[in-house]
Amino acid sequence: MVFQVLHPSIPPFTWQRPIGLGWETPYTVRYASNLDDGPWHGMPLGGFGAGCIGRSSRGDFNFWHLDGGEHIFQSRPACQFSVFEQVGHRPSQAYALCTHPPANGSLSTWQWYPDSIISQGAEGMDETATDANSTGTYHALYPRSWFRYERIFQSQLTCEQFSPIWAGNYQETSYPVVVFAWTATNPTDEPITLSVMLTWENMVGWFTNTNQVPEVLIRDDGSPVYSYRPAWEQSEGNINRWVEGGDRVGFVLDRLAQSDPPAEGEGQMAMAALADPSNTEVFYQGRWQPTGDGSEVWFPFCRDGSLSNQLDESPAGSNESIGAALAVRFTLQPGETRQIPFALAWDLPVTEFATGITYYRRYTDFFGWDGGNGWAIASTALKHWQQWQSNIIKWQQPILDRNDLPNWFKSALFNELYILTAGGTLWSAADDRDPLGQFAVLECIDYRWYESLDVRLYGSFGLVMLWPELDKSVLRAFARAIPTSDARTRVIGYYYTQGIASPIAVRKAAGATPHDLGAPNEHPWEKTNYTSYQDCNLWKDLGSDFVLQVYRTFVLTGGNDYQFLQECWTAIVTTLTYLKTFDHDGDGIPENSGAPDQTFDDWRLQGVSAYCGGLWIAALEATAAIGEILKNRGLLNSDVHVTTPPETFLWTVQEWLTQARPFYHQKLWNGQYYQLDSDSGSTIVMADQLCGQYYAHLLGLPDIVPMDCARIALQTIFNTCFIQFNEYLSSGQFRPQSYTSVQDARSAPPSPEEISQSLPPVMVRLPIGAANGVQLDGSPENPNATHPLEIWTGINFGLAAFLVQMGMRDEAMTLTAAVVQQIYDHGLQFRTPEAITAEGTFRACLYLRPMAIWAVLREFDAEGG
């Protein structure tokens, strides 16, 4: 990995990639039914809950999350920037700034930008943008990204693209807009004429599901899925209108006969630029055919950087698509630098879930709900873009300036926040109950349900540290859901994958903490517990997860939002009382059932487990602390939904703690680590066995286990799950089931060299991180196991945070660096998965849990404090 300053306008420590450079052996998906778009992912553009667009390092716009909770990955070649250049009286040149021409033969007259070719092995980031074969470099430091173009144009050109996202901001962060700030410098001794053109296809109306009542099915991995059929390319009635407002000019991409109020997918898009008659010329083409050869746009543009200045507001017909084009031409004298901003906005104010269940998006609190504000949003961006840019820099700079943080860590820290834009994010308009609206991020696209509570135990650290009021919004939604019930029944997908009959389970039991806040095809926040892979009413970690996150958010945000604690108190009492019913032997700790009943939902735990038992004890300590805080402030009131008086419940909690504390240690401690559980007989070392201890220390609660035992266990985890596991992989002893070609050819076992040759090159990219659970020598207990042998990126970051907390900083950074390298060197950037494997595969990309890297920063800060 190389992170360095290449241009004064680009900060250090960005993730970078030569423009158009591919990957020889990127990670591929583990299960064929899961999402794998390939490695061409760039930083998403757009505000939280506003929908977003992605542009890859080859320059194409290919990622469309403009329908809440839904995913489209497809390049639209007509959506593009192009540059014309003429130096003095020399022949001119013009390129559309994407290295990937359309595969269907459209836009055949356009000249496409040449890609980078690196001769020293096209894998990883060992190459720099100074390589003679590079045509430029893509950089990303969320929420800003850059294209720096090199060796093709005589001028020095950089395009910075960003949305107005910065910590603690609850207005502009929601805006559906992206600014493209072009910086052009003339390093020659001759004048250079440049023209920058933005072309865009009118996509209004495309982003809604035409399958009004999608059937929910069970996928081959046991997960519930439904079909999404967007109104893709259905442009009939779309029109493009030219707009001039002061020094801002551009197009509103609109649609005839829209509903009032607007339906999902209806509204506007807008593209705008600044017009300064003293030093720029603006050209336009109001209607052209993106599916044709593109000559009506390209011929005048490649000739002299102009367009025909034709306006045509006739609507698109049936099976027709239309685009608009906007160009700004200017001349730079030798040594001169100029900035040219463009803005792209979309006003699609409504998200619809199940038919008739609609919400307005948060940004409508500032621009209105009628879907006619595309121009106002784009115009606002052109007015304030420099201040927005300054606010982002002001937020990020203190972290970027720190000498105690590795450079690669600074890059990954900000870039992992991408999920808050790209994760199918919802952010609703404000109302009396929720004055900042309601917020939610998908677990991932493969597991398409919102704010999975077990996942956000680590994965919400970025949110609580930077936008804490949004984190409180999510936890309030869980608090409201805990007392509710949903008697609908369903089969459980896990049993489907095992080929055995499934028990029938109710969807949501009263008192149980739901696993998630629902899915895009139903009613998020109201119909919870969507996942049916397991019966989450039986899970032994969710109730504890809820309590710990409530207290964590209280503590990490100043420890003074007593109303927030009071709002969650009834749910805390309710869910802990429910969870205690699984303590069948009366030892004070709920037992795991033998079915996968916690976040590792392919992994059977039996009896008292180190993972769930530790979380339970930490949650009891947090409850005791919350109760004392509320009691001391006179806020510990009775609730009609809870029969046990508050004082009695606090006394009961202390009783449970008195039982549970000694039993947990005595039953599970074996001198080297805490055993997986009390009853299975497994000798596996679980990486996340002391998550409860981590949280207890984080929140200033009494330790769950003796500190000397915690240190010994943590050292064992690091040595076993990371060092020994990766040494075991490199030895060639581990041969996954999927690679059998060498063994099938003969009866004798293959040599390590033969195994290595039969595996994809990714197998040798060691270390790849810490496995979830292996034996003391690093070998698998069961070589065909799933979750134990996966490297969960978010769990690794959580483990790294624990290492820092316990004074093992070097080990923490070694582990974190291994995982970051797998993500950002091997085509997983901006689609970080839940899991990577030794086979060179991944599972569940665009995952929420990896935002746990912010927990590592939290421990650095606590250590420094």
Side-chain angles (χ1 to χ4, degrees), residues 597-748:
D597 54 3
Q598 27 64 45
T599 193
F600 303 94
D601 55 4
D602 259 356
W603 198 351
R604 294 174 174 267
L605 307 181
Q606 183 73 50
V608 171
S609 68
Y611 179 72
C612 295
L615 288 172
W616 166 255
I617 296 172
L620 294 181
E621 293 287 6
T623 300
I626 293 169
E628 286 300 314
I629 290 169
L630 293 177
K631 183 173 72 172
N632 292 337
R633 301 193 70 84
L635 299 174
L636 192 63
N637 301 321
S638 297
D639 191 284
V640 295
H641 301 291
V642 179
T643 57
T644 305
E647 297 282 358
T648 302
F649 181 73
L650 288 178
W651 180 82
T652 301
V653 166
Q654 290 298 334
E655 264 199 336
W656 294 346
L657 276 169
T658 300
Q659 285 181 290
R661 277 185 165 282
F663 182 84
Y664 178 84
H665 177 72
Q666 294 165 11
K667 191 73 174 177
L668 299 177
W669 177 245
N670 66 10
Q672 292 179 284
Y673 59 94
Y674 286 86
Q675 294 173 186
L676 180 70
D677 56 38
S678 62
D679 294 356
S680 72
S682 173
T683 59
I684 206 167
V685 179
M686 185 187 201
D688 209 25
Q689 62 186 258
L690 288 180
C691 181
Q693 171 61 36
Y694 164 71
Y695 251 88
H697 197 284
L698 170 76
L699 302 178
L701 298 169
D703 292 318
I704 305 303
V705 299
M707 286 303 291
D708 58 340
C709 296
R711 290 190 179 92
I712 293 170
L714 191 56
Q715 188 66 62
T716 300
I717 292 166
F718 181 79
N719 290 342
T720 299
C721 298
F722 182 55
I723 301 297
Q724 296 281 83
F725 172 67
N726 282 280
E727 288 180 355
Y728 179 80
L729 293 182
S730 66
S731 72
Q733 298 177 69
F734 176 58
R735 187 168 62 91
Q737 271 190 324
S738 55
Y739 297 103
T740 59
S741 58
V742 175
Q743 179 65 48
D744 290 346
R746 60 182 184 186
S747 58

Side-chain angles (χ1 to χ4, degrees), residues 379-455:
S379 183
T380 298
L382 290 179
K383 180 179 180 181
H384 296 293
W385 72 272
Q386 289 173 308
Q387 183 59 55
W388 293 351
Q389 185 186 58
S390 176
N391 290 342
I392 296 169
I393 293 170
K394 184 178 179 180
W395 158 45
Q396 293 186 332
Q397 204 61 48
I399 294 176
L400 297 179
D401 287 342
R402 287 176 58 168
N403 295 323
D404 63 325
L405 301 176
N407 295 342
W408 55 263
F409 179 77
K410 300 172 189 178
S411 171
L413 192 70
F414 286 109
N415 282 328
E416 285 305 315
L417 294 174
Y418 84 97
I419 195 66
L420 294 173
T421 290
T425 311
L426 306 179
W427 190 358
S428 69
D431 58 25
D432 291 341
R433 188 184 69 168
D434 296 289
L436 287 178
Q438 295 189 92
F439 187 81
V441 179
L442 291 173
E443 178 175 335
C444 68
I445 299 298
D446 282 310
Y447 313 142
R448 198 174 305 187
W449 36 86
Y450 281 101
E451 292 294 344
S452 299
L453 192 66
D454 56 317
V455 173

